[in-house]
Amino acid sequence: MVKPTRWPSLQQRRKLWVEVHLWLGLVLGGFLTIFGVTGAVLVFQSEIDHLINSAFFKAEVPPGAQRRSLDEIAQAAMRAAPAHWESGGSTAPKDADENYIFGFWIEGGTPPPEEAVSINIAVNPYTAQVVGRRVFYHAWNPFKHCFIGFFFKLHYALLLGDVGTTVVGIMALLLVISVLSGLILWWPLDGKWRRVLTIKRGASTVRFNHDLHQSVGFYALVVLIAVLISGVYFNLPDQFKWTVAQFSSLTPDPSPSPGRALAPGVSIDRLLRMAETAYPGGTLNYFALPDPKTGLLNACYSDVPSLRKYVVDMRCLTIDANRASVVLVADPASGSAGDTFMQWQWPLHSGQAFGWTGRILVMLSGLMCPLLFVTGILRWQHKRRARQTAAMRRA
């Protein structure tokens, strides 16, 4: 409980935070609703995508067939990709009867009929044949993105391209301030914690709305802060890294081999076997095709036994294909405190750091955003009507 002598100064500061919280909520609350709802959907992006596009992901397994090598599978995808692709990679299938889905990003877009800046190519792992192709991001029409692609673009860029990405990053930073100002206003100066942690039974509509707004805001606080801060990172990565580097050094990106360009005849299978021998444990989760300009490729492994004590049990390796050596290890057991903090951002943003519990919490916090916005608007209207009534009585 705050001492009575401090109440006047605290009440004065509280008025300032009321204004900050009010105007940030009014201006950005609608956008927070969009970010929250789309984020709730994207928490289960893989499951939803598999459900609505099962034929694209499902692999036909010929009787007695053996899986082809990653080199054959990757070559099939690269032959089917448009010329001058920037980069490509694939999430490793979780089940034996799933296709490899490769993503490619194309500079300037592809010609009709696709007109895409990003496409997915499905390759059957048992025949090494391309069995599907889809536009992930259309070059100019957001309604021609695939379903999950549309939600991604709306979530992190409001369908506004690079400008939208920057604007959403700034909004996320301002929303962090909004959430923290809400915590300041929630804090009970009189020490009556039960009042701010519960919804009063049998209360009036005004009181119920007030209690609902502050209770939902408090219980969603930790998750919202984590998701918003990580959102700032994904939309403003350079500025975020610079800020983190002021507190802890960050491991620089690896330098490519002197030749830089990818040498011919590089085997992805051989490179991954080499990496897995040097850094054993875990299941291949994702691998990127070797970059033809630098000769570097990335591979990420989940469920690494030695990392389970760190909660985030994923290890990502950067491999120099020309030198056949691992040039960077990114996992919670390696690097500086700043590196570890950076590695936590995606698992926190997606909820994957805590498995199904984390994903459900992130989903629920996203679905609470419209509730916070609506109850905040109602709270503002109640106060405005009260002030108008008081002014009329004084007149």
Side-chain angles (χ1 to χ4, degrees):
M1 183 175 176
V2 177
K3 294 181 179 180
T5 54
R6 296 185 56 195
W7 271 59
S9 61
L10 291 176
Q11 290 287 4
Q12 191 63 33
R13 294 177 193 173
R14 189 181 181 89
K15 291 180 180 178
L16 171 64
W17 286 115
V18 166
E19 292 298 313
V20 170
H21 190 70
L22 168 65
W23 288 108
L24 286 177
L26 290 176
V27 174
L28 300 178
F31 294 107
L32 178 63
T33 295
I34 295 173
F35 304 147
V37 173
T38 54
V41 172
L42 292 173
V43 167
F44 298 100
Q45 56 169 300
S46 178
E47 290 84 356
I48 294 172
D49 206 6
H50 279 68
L51 179 65
I52 64 179
N53 297 292
S54 58
F56 188 70
F57 289 92
K58 193 77 170 178
E60 292 187 10
V61 184
Q66 299 294 319
R67 295 173 74 91
R68 300 293 187 92
S69 68
L70 282 180
D71 292 315
E72 294 177 276
I73 295 169
Q75 285 297 326
M78 287 189 284
R79 285 193 298 269
H84 310 300
W85 54 271
E86 288 186 39
S87 60
S90 175
T91 300
K94 295 181 180 179
D95 298 319
D97 61 347
E98 285 187 10
N99 294 318
Y100 276 83
I101 310 297
F102 288 83
F104 290 95
W105 292 261
I106 292 83
E107 184 69 35
T110 53
E114 288 173 330
E115 296 185 285
V117 293
S118 177
I119 63 171
N120 290 148
I121 294 174
V123 181
N124 186 304
Y126 297 94
T127 63
Q129 293 181 345
V130 173
V131 293
R133 185 184 182 107
R134 72 173 179 181
V135 171
F136 194 81
Y137 292 142
H138 194 266
W140 57 270
N141 187 346
F143 297 104
K144 291 187 178 181
H145 299 329
C146 73
F147 181 82
I148 293 298
F150 177 85
F151 272 83
F152 263 118
K153 284 288 188 179
L154 183 59
H155 181 70
Y156 78 83
L158 294 173
L159 305 176
L160 297 175
D162 293 339
V163 172
T165 301
T166 301
V167 169
V168 170
I170 295 171
M171 285 182 179
L173 185 59
L174 292 174
L175 285 167
V176 171
I177 299 173
S178 177
V179 172
L180 292 176
S181 66
L183 176 62
I184 293 172
L185 298 176
W186 168 89
W187 196 274
L189 299 179
D190 56 5
K192 296 180 179 179
W193 294 96
R194 183 177 179 181
R195 174 176 56 81
V196 296
L197 291 171
T198 59
I199 297 174
K200 184 178 180 181
R201 293 182 179 181
S204 65
T205 302
V206 173
R207 176 60 186 272
F208 174 80
N209 181 77
H210 169 268
D211 288 355
L212 183 62
H213 183 76
Q214 71 172 10
S215 297
V216 168
F218 172 74
Y219 290 114
L221 174 75
V222 174
V223 179
L224 281 178
I225 287 290
V227 170
L228 288 170
I229 289 176
S230 55
V232 175
Y233 165 53
F234 293 121
N235 283 57
L236 303 172
D238 294 336
Q239 295 84 348
F240 192 93
K241 288 179 181 178
W242 180 88
T243 303
V244 173
Q246 307 311 302
F247 300 91
S248 174
S249 61
L250 296 175
T251 301
D253 294 332
S255 300
S257 56
R260 295 185 67 85
L262 181 65
V266 168
S267 169
I268 297 175
D269 284 294
R270 183 175 65 86
L271 291 172
L272 292 183
R273 284 197 299 269
M274 177 274 300
E276 289 164 3
T277 299
Y279 298 92
T283 303
L284 181 64
N285 179 268
Y286 171 85
F287 68 93
L289 301 177
D291 189 321
K293 297 178 182 178
T294 65
L296 299 177
L297 69 89
N298 296 309
C300 293
Y301 297 82
S302 58
D303 302 319
V304 179
S306 61
L307 299 178
R308 286 173 185 160
K309 62 183 178 181
Y310 299 99
V311 182
V312 175
D313 57 1
M314 178 171 284
R315 172 184 291 140
C316 290
L317 306 174
T318 301
I319 305 167
D320 188 320
N322 294 329
R323 292 185 291 189
S325 62
V326 175
V327 293
L328 179 66
V329 179
D331 64 38
S334 307
S336 66
D339 291 328
T340 300
F341 179 73
M342 299 296 291
Q343 291 158 18
W344 267 85
Q345 298 311 303
W346 172 247
L348 285 176
H349 197 77
S350 62
Q352 294 180 10
F354 300 98
W356 278 97
T357 300
R359 296 174 74 187
I360 291 171
L361 286 174
V362 170
M363 179 196 70
L364 291 177
S365 70
L367 295 178
M368 287 179 183
C369 292
L371 183 60
L372 287 171
F373 179 51
V374 171
T375 54
I377 289 290
L378 292 175
R379 177 69 177 154
W380 169 64
Q381 291 179 336
H382 293 154
K383 285 189 172 183
R384 187 178 64 169
R385 283 198 293 266
R387 286 194 297 268
Q388 291 173 344
T389 301
M392 291 175 62
R393 287 175 178 173
R394 286 195 299 270

